Amino acid sequence: MLRIGLLTSGGDCQALNATMRGVVKGLSANVDELEVYGFMNGYKGLIYGDYRLLTSRDFSGILTKGGTILGSSRQPFKLMREPDENGLDKVKAMKDNYRKLKLDCLVILGGNGTQKTANLLSEEGLNIIHLPKTIDNDIWGTDMTFGFYSAVNIATEAIDCIHTTAASHNRVFIVEIMGHKVGWLTLYAGIAGGADIILIPEIPYKINSVIEAINHRTEEGKGFTVIAVAEGAISAEDAKLSKKQLAKKIEARKNPSVAFDLADQILKKTGTEVRVTIPGHTQRGGSPCPYDRVLSTRLGVAAAELIMKGEYGCMVAIVNNKTKKVPLKDCAGKLKTIQPDDQFVHEAKMMGISFGD
Ligand code: F6P
């Protein structure tokens, strides 16, 4: 009898269900007896013993279903070693629940924070496999995370829709795309949607360079400009502040986000009408795109194979189109960011796209 646990933690994305289906179908087709326990709402379910015994029926018809059948929540890694409000030792509780169910392995689907806790549990002696989920594609050690391409599709569609209205009205349009720490989603959607200016956290922008790029388009007779800005984009001025000073400045911001700050500055400096669009959480919603369905299925099956071989303590990555196991101790706590001299950025600049630098 093989007993596995599954949990999905952190912000959701489109292909969580498709990935769990890959794991369970990969196992049930190849092992005689299988029990699958689903922990509800991320690590919360593992801490407080909120779980369900799942059957193969739970994994049918979910390939195309967005969200997660298990629910999710954010349980910050930095608080994991701190007792909860009732004094409960969360790490001990997670280990106890794992042992109570006599699990052979716990498969954890999540992003960077989730991965750090997965590594902690692995160091505590549990058999862990992590599967890289996030629309941000910022997990170190894997070329791609599931959820990313589905989100690129949605963010690109948003920019496409803005393009036609921007052209009709001769306005500047700002589309704010998800990504607090990294700009992969903004970069891909910005290029795919033909944005004129792309602003990402890794390349601090100068407002005068942004204005120059807008004016340049006006001089060329192009009446409109589309700007793709990551929600974590930062000005060169703010990039010099300490973490604390920046947090204080953001807290005191009168606008809800960076896109509106930019809009105010552009209006003041150019007199052009500016509009802001924020697709927000729609970028994480709906059905996974075909690429993600395939990626998720491959990662899920690769996880199933590792479980059958008893190989744990790793993330299943995709590198050069091959699935690969990466030890959790090598990747946990590392972020995959865009390098300003990345080929991608260079090519975008060759196309005349401004990064405001
Ligand atoms: O990590 C995925 C992500 O969607 C980020 O791109 C975004 O900044 C964040 O989650 C939003 O988090 P929440 O769902 O907690 O608002």
Side-chain angles (χ1 to χ4, degrees):
M1 165 72 74
L2 181 71
R3 284 189 191 86
I4 70 156
L6 280 174
L7 70 82
T8 55
S9 169
D12 72 340
C13 76
Q14 294 88 344
L16 284 160
N17 291 326
T19 309
M20 291 192 277
R21 171 183 174 271
V23 177
V24 174
K25 288 207 174 220
L27 282 174
S28 50
N30 294 287
V31 299
D32 290 338
E33 280 184 289
L34 175 70
E35 262 181 12
V36 180
Y37 292 89
F39 292 95
M40 306 311 290
N41 305 313
Y43 287 114
K44 236 190 216 172
L46 182 60
I47 296 170
Y48 298 106
D50 183 10
Y51 56 83
R52 275 200 302 133
L53 180 59
L54 302 168
T55 68
S56 58
R57 243 197 238 167
D58 291 294
F59 297 94
S60 279
I62 63 167
L63 173 64
T64 59
K65 200 172 166 189
T68 159
I69 55 167
L70 297 181
S72 191
S73 67
R74 291 194 187 277
Q75 303 294 315
F77 167 72
K78 61 177 187 227
L79 299 180
M80 278 301 181
R81 292 244 180 236
E82 286 185 20
D84 78 354
E85 58 281 10
N86 299 314
L88 181 80
D89 179 335
K90 293 178 221 154
V91 175
K92 183 176 178 302
M94 288 192 279
K95 285 161 63 179
D96 287 349
N97 283 319
Y98 175 100
R99 296 215 164 102
K100 190 176 95 187
L101 292 172
K102 297 190 174 58
L103 296 181
D104 294 294
C105 173
L106 176 62
V107 182
I108 299 175
L109 290 77
N112 281 296
T114 299
Q115 189 187 58
K116 286 194 255 181
T117 300
N119 184 44
L120 177 158
L121 293 174
S122 173
E123 284 172 351
E124 289 284 331
L126 306 192
N127 294 333
I128 302 292
I129 290 187
H130 170 243
L131 290 166
K133 162 247 64 157
T134 168
I135 65 163
D136 296 334
N137 193 27
D138 59 355
I139 298 185
W140 189 93
T142 185
D143 289 347
M144 204 46 70
T145 58
F146 56 88
F148 177 66
Y149 266 114
S150 302
V152 169
N153 285 355
I154 296 169
T156 302
E157 249 183 71
I159 299 176
D160 287 349
C161 292
I162 288 304
H163 240 117
T164 56
T165 173
S168 311
H169 283 273
N170 288 328
R171 286 167 168 163
V172 171
F173 264 92
I174 301 175
V175 183
E176 187 179 286
I177 294 170
M178 275 189 162
H180 269 300
K181 292 185 182 150
V182 301
W184 291 111
L185 186 52
T186 309
L187 182 62
Y188 271 63
I191 293 174
D196 309 297
I197 301 173
I198 296 177
L199 305 178
I200 56 175
E202 295 93 328
I203 305 180
Y205 67 85
K206 297 186 195 89
I207 188 64
N208 288 341
S209 305
V210 174
I211 302 296
E212 251 171 51
I214 296 171
N215 289 341
H216 182 66
R217 281 183 57 80
T218 312
E219 282 155 21
E220 283 188 324
K222 291 165 184 154
F224 72 95
T225 299
V226 175
I227 307 177
V229 56
E231 56 187 353
I234 184 169
S235 69
E237 196 185 4
D238 286 354
K240 289 187 195 132
L241 299 176
S242 68
K243 249 186 171 179
K244 226 177 174 181
Q245 287 169 321
L246 183 63
K248 220 169 156 192
K249 191 165 173 190
I250 290 175
E251 215 183 287
R253 184 188 252 163
K254 75 171 173 57
N255 284 319
S257 69
V258 62
F260 294 94
D261 283 354
L262 264 174
D264 283 355
Q265 286 171 304
I266 295 168
L267 175 65
K268 211 153 101 202
K269 288 187 187 257
T270 66
T272 319
E273 262 191 302
V274 191
R275 293 288 187 272
V276 173
T277 295
I278 305 185
H281 288 75
T282 63
Q283 292 164 96
R284 286 200 331 223
S287 194
C289 68
Y291 175 91
D292 274 336
R293 293 180 203 177
V294 175
L295 175 65
S296 290
T297 304
R298 293 187 66 192
L299 294 176
V301 168
E305 284 193 292
L306 289 175
I307 295 169
M308 287 190 293
K309 286 191 271 182
E311 294 180 26
Y312 307 115
C314 58
M315 161 178 77
V316 185
I318 185 110
V319 178
N320 294 332
N321 209 23
K322 294 248 182 310
T323 58
K324 177 186 169 186
K325 69 173 187 176
V326 179
L328 277 170
K329 62 175 174 37
D330 293 349
C331 52
K334 291 186 192 163
L335 207 60
K336 185 179 73 185
T337 57
I338 297 170
Q339 300 306 310
D341 60 355
D342 197 292
Q343 205 178 29
F344 246 123
V345 176
H346 167 73
E347 288 154 358
K349 283 185 174 172
M350 291 280 290
M351 293 287 294
I353 297 173
S354 165
F355 284 76
D357 52 344

